[in-house]
Amino acid sequence: QVQLVESGGGLVQAGASLRLSCEASGGTLTGIDAMGWFRQAPGKAREFVAALRWTDKNTLYSESAKGRTTISRDNAKNTVFLQINTLKPEDTAVYYCAATRPYRIIVRVEDLADADSYTYWGQGTQVTVSS
């Protein structure tokens, strides 16, 4: 059973950068093809931020994340990262990482943005951006 643990959130000022980490414990990322990051702000629905498909290194970003966000993966550390630059107050949310079940291949790139594609979820890390 893969357990995902996020870290790296915090309170920052607008314009700052953060690197969120998601470590897989109780297992490894071996065989897990797709990893994603989602976020949920108070009173709002969970929304997609970024995803990485390991088989072809294809990435997908939301429009709000594009250009200032980078998702990456370090298999040796069983960790996925989300680098967010130029943070804005509207980025304030709990950020969750997610993983597909082992050996499931996400064929359509657009399905990387679908929360139903993922089986494992972390508990989240809070990101608060002050203006």
Side-chain angles (χ1 to χ4, degrees):
Q1 179 78 7
V2 174
Q3 293 178 322
L4 304 176
V5 180
E6 303 95 335
S7 61
L11 172 62
V12 298
Q13 290 190 328
S17 298
L18 278 177
R19 188 173 81 154
L20 307 182
S21 300
C22 172
E23 183 177 1
S25 62
T28 72
L29 294 181
T30 301
I32 293 178
D33 188 42
M35 300 283 297
W37 284 92
F38 292 75
R39 68 185 185 185
Q40 187 166 20
K44 295 188 177 181
R46 181 175 52 190
E47 64 174 0
F48 169 74
V49 178
L52 169 63
R53 186 169 62 188
W54 192 244
T55 47
D56 58 3
K57 309 303 186 290
N58 207 333
T59 56
L60 183 68
Y61 296 95
S62 67
E63 284 302 314
S64 63
K66 203 173 293 184
R68 60 188 184 97
T69 304
T70 303
I71 184 171
S72 60
R73 171 171 165 168
D74 187 335
N75 283 341
K77 296 181 179 179
N78 292 315
T79 301
V80 173
F81 302 98
L82 186 71
Q83 175 75 35
I84 315 174
N85 300 320
T86 320
L87 280 157
K88 307 173 184 179
E90 51 263 43
D91 292 321
T92 296
V94 177
Y95 284 70
Y96 300 91
C97 74
T100 55
R101 59 177 169 79
Y103 307 107
R104 178 183 180 186
I105 302 297
I106 304 298
V107 176
R108 301 193 314 165
V109 172
E110 54 266 36
D111 286 342
L112 292 172
D114 186 348
D116 289 339
S117 296
Y118 300 90
T119 300
Y120 304 108
W121 292 82
Q123 293 300 306
T125 185
Q126 176 72 47
V127 172
T128 304
V129 185
S130 63
S131 57

